């Protein structure tokens, strides 16, 4: 056995049949990642209620801040990206996701730091909360009750939103995100209202239902997305800043749950460089040389191909602030689909639904979240246990 493979099991080729066998799915998902992911809508409702009890209104006592820093790593760090995109380009103050321990050198009494950690003990969130307190910045903390982060918040007399820890951080995105948004709302920086939260939760519930383990692959959007990606190198591009956050989120879950390498980003940026991938070894060159009669089960990896997942926003809300006209984003999204088609690169499109930015984001995150888990399960990988992360922590002594 190669050193470090202990605890890793699975098979290189995806077994499609597993996905339509609910019992096999349950056996291969002992930690219940599918179940935890299906709780996304409930997480929105629960965190909204918890935030309502946390007296966030004190944040507004000192007026509008100079800047807001969202401090955390991994999924906790993603909440900062969500806030930045929901706040939009017209947000009157900078919203900065900060992923290092501590806070940027310029943070001081005029600023707000929102420290986020699913475990309540990441060095990044703790370091930021302590630094914010030392420098006299306004602090808000989000994490489990009775955690180290909770203690720092108490010492700093800062509002704390006690988000229960029931699952790995990546299955807790919504529970962590809602308090961050509501803290920003208390500061007057985002417009998220109760109806937006309720509709987002309902959207997450509906997508969880469509993606449930008992829904077969041909009617289950998450299973079909997973099967399409099996064996390929996924490229996930978002058509708008909001869709790009969803694309990066899919990169997180494809890597951690399914352990697939993935290229993610915003289509605007990709169009000036990375779109060249479509011409390359795994793109047009692979497609041109592919033997269409070859048995896909005999694949030895040489035929590895790209698969493009395009997350299209569609900017359904006319009141949305945007730097770029919707028509530009739409033309770019149409263009990349044409490019992929011309080269024979397969492309899946997920189109946002819903009115508010938050609901649209949810509609681009929910099905891909499930797809990443189904892809893990199709390879016989436990989507919850990631030995490499544990080993990395041990070796790096974190
Ligand atoms: O949210 P936490 O507990 O601060 O952890 C940060 C990140 O570290 C991990 O736990 C990995 O160590 C991720 O799953 C998580 O997103």
């Amino acid at each position: 056995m190669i050193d470090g493979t202990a605890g890793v099991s699975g098979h290189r080729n995806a077994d499609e049949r597993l996905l339509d066998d609910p019992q096999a799915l349950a056996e291969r998902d002992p930690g219940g990642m599918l179940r935890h992911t299906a709780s996304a809508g409930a997480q929105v409702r629960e965190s909204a209620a918890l935030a309502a009890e946390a007296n966030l209104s004190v944040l507004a006592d000192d007026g509008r801040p100079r800047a807001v820093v969202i401090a955390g790593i991994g999924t906790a760090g993603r909440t900062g990206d969500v806030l930045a995109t929901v706040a939009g380009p017209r947000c009157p103050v900078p919203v900065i996701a900060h992923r290092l321990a501590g806070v940027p050198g310029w943070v001081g009494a005029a600023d707000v730091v929102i420290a986020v950690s699913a475990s309540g003990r990441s060095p990044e969130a703790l370091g930021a909360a302590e630094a914010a307190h030392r420098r006299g910045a306004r602090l808000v903390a989000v994490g489990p009750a009775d955690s180290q982060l909770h203690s720092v918040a108490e010492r700093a007399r800062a509002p704390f939103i006690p988000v229960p820890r029931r699952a790995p951080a990546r299955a807790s995105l919504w529970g962590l995100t809602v308090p961050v948004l509501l803290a920003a709302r208390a500061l007057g920086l985002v417009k998220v209202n109760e109806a937006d939260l309720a509709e987002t939760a309902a959207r997450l519930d509906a997508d969880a239902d469509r993606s449930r383990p008992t829904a077969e692959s041909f009617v289950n959007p998450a299973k079909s997305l997973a099967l399409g990606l099996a064996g390929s190198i996924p490229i996930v591009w978002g058509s708008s800043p909001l869709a790009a956050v969803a694309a990066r989120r899919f990169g997180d879950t494809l890597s951690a749950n399914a352990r697939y390498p993935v290229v993610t980003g915003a289509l605007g940026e990709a169009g000036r460089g990375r779109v060249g991938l479509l011409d390359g070894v795994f793109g047009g060159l692979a497609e041109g040389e592919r033997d269409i009669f070859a048995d896909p089960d005999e694949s030895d990896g040489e035929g590895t191909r790209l698969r493009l997942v395009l997350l299209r926003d569609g900017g359904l809300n006319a009141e949305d602030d945007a730097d770029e006209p919707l028509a530009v984003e739409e033309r770019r999204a149409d263009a990349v689909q044409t490019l992929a088609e011309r080269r024979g690169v397969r492309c899946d499109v997920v189109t946002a639904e819903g009115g508010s930015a938050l609901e649209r984001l949810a509609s681009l995150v929910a099905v891909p979240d499930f797809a990443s888990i189904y892809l893990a399960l199709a390879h016989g990988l436990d989507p919850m246990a990631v030995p490499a992360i544990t080993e990395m922590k041990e070796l790096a002594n974190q």
Side-chain angles (χ1 to χ4, degrees), residues 72-77 116-126 142 144 149 165 168-171 176 256 389-390 393 398:
I73 191 96
T75 303
V116 188
S117 171
S119 63
R121 57 162 194 258
S122 79
E124 293 78 10
L126 287 174
V142 181
L149 187 58
R165 188 185 193 202
R170 60 188 183 281
L176 297 172
I389 298 179
T390 316
K393 278 187 187 165
Q398 281 174 330

Side-chain angles (χ1 to χ4, degrees), residues 117-151:
S117 171
S119 63
R121 57 162 194 258
S122 79
E124 293 78 10
L126 287 174
E130 273 156 9
H133 180 38
R134 266 197 317 274
R135 294 186 197 192
R138 274 173 277 175
L139 172 68
V140 189
V142 181
D146 304 322
S147 61
Q148 291 176 55
L149 187 58
H150 192 176
S151 306

Side-chain angles (χ1 to χ4, degrees), residues 55-65 109 112 138 157 159 183 186-188:
N55 194 20
L56 290 171
S57 58
V58 297
L59 288 173
D61 289 351
D62 292 326
R64 179 187 284 175
V112 169
R138 274 173 277 175
R157 299 181 190 284
L187 291 161

Side-chain angles (χ1 to χ4, degrees), residues 4-288:
T5 54
V8 182
S9 62
H11 30 88
R12 188 159 171 208
N13 291 327
D15 181 350
E16 294 191 16
R17 286 161 313 170
L18 272 176
L19 295 193
D20 284 331
D21 180 344
Q23 198 184 327
L25 289 176
E27 282 163 11
R28 283 166 177 73
D29 181 20
M33 278 295 271
L34 285 168
R35 185 169 38 85
H36 290 305
T37 302
S39 75
Q43 290 177 34
V44 169
R45 294 184 199 97
E46 181 183 49
S47 278
L50 291 167
E53 290 167 13
N55 194 20
L56 290 171
S57 58
V58 297
L59 288 173
D61 289 351
D62 292 326
R64 179 187 284 175
R66 179 179 59 176
V68 176
V69 173
I70 302 87
I73 191 96
T75 303
R78 271 296 159 242
T79 66
D81 301 337
V82 174
L83 174 57
T85 197
V86 171
R90 308 274 173 272
C91 181
V93 308
V95 174
I96 296 153
H98 184 74
R99 293 177 162 87
L100 304 170
V103 291
W106 49 261
V107 167
D111 304 303
V112 169
V113 173
I114 308 179
V116 188
S117 171
S119 63
R121 57 162 194 258
S122 79
E124 293 78 10
L126 287 174
E130 273 156 9
H133 180 38
R134 266 197 317 274
R135 294 186 197 192
R138 274 173 277 175
L139 172 68
V140 189
V142 181
D146 304 322
S147 61
Q148 291 176 55
L149 187 58
H150 192 176
S151 306
V152 179
E154 276 184 340
R155 240 185 299 131
R157 299 181 190 284
F160 180 78
I161 297 101
V163 175
R165 188 185 193 202
R166 304 192 183 98
R170 60 188 183 281
S172 311
L173 174 70
W174 296 99
L176 297 172
T177 295
V178 167
V180 172
L181 293 171
L182 293 181
R185 182 177 77 177
L187 291 161
L189 305 180
V190 288
K191 290 193 206 128
V192 176
N193 60 35
E194 306 316 314
D196 296 338
L197 291 171
E199 282 157 18
T200 300
R203 170 79 50 192
L204 290 165
D205 286 346
D207 281 344
D209 187 54
R210 296 195 300 141
S211 306
R212 68 190 183 279
T214 51
E216 296 200 359
S217 301
F218 67 98
V219 289
N220 185 319
K223 288 182 182 176
S224 34
L225 184 56
L227 290 175
L229 288 171
S232 71
I233 300 177
I235 294 188
V236 189
W237 283 328
S239 70
S240 69
L242 179 134
V245 173
R248 294 197 178 94
R249 162 70 179 176
F250 198 16
D252 296 340
T253 56
L254 277 173
S255 304
N257 295 334
R259 278 142 269 192
Y260 265 54
V262 53
V263 176
T264 63
L267 193 50
E269 176 70 22
R272 305 303 176 93
R274 291 184 183 197
V275 75
L277 287 168
L278 299 179
D279 290 333
V281 180
F282 302 108
L285 292 181
E287 300 299 340

Side-chain angles (χ1 to χ4, degrees), residues 329-350:
E329 288 177 357
E330 293 284 286
R331 275 205 304 277
R332 204 184 276 135
D334 289 342
V336 81
Q337 281 183 246
T338 305
L339 245 67
E341 202 176 303
R342 285 183 182 162
R343 287 153 181 77
V345 174
R346 301 153 307 155
C347 175
D348 297 289
V349 180
V350 181

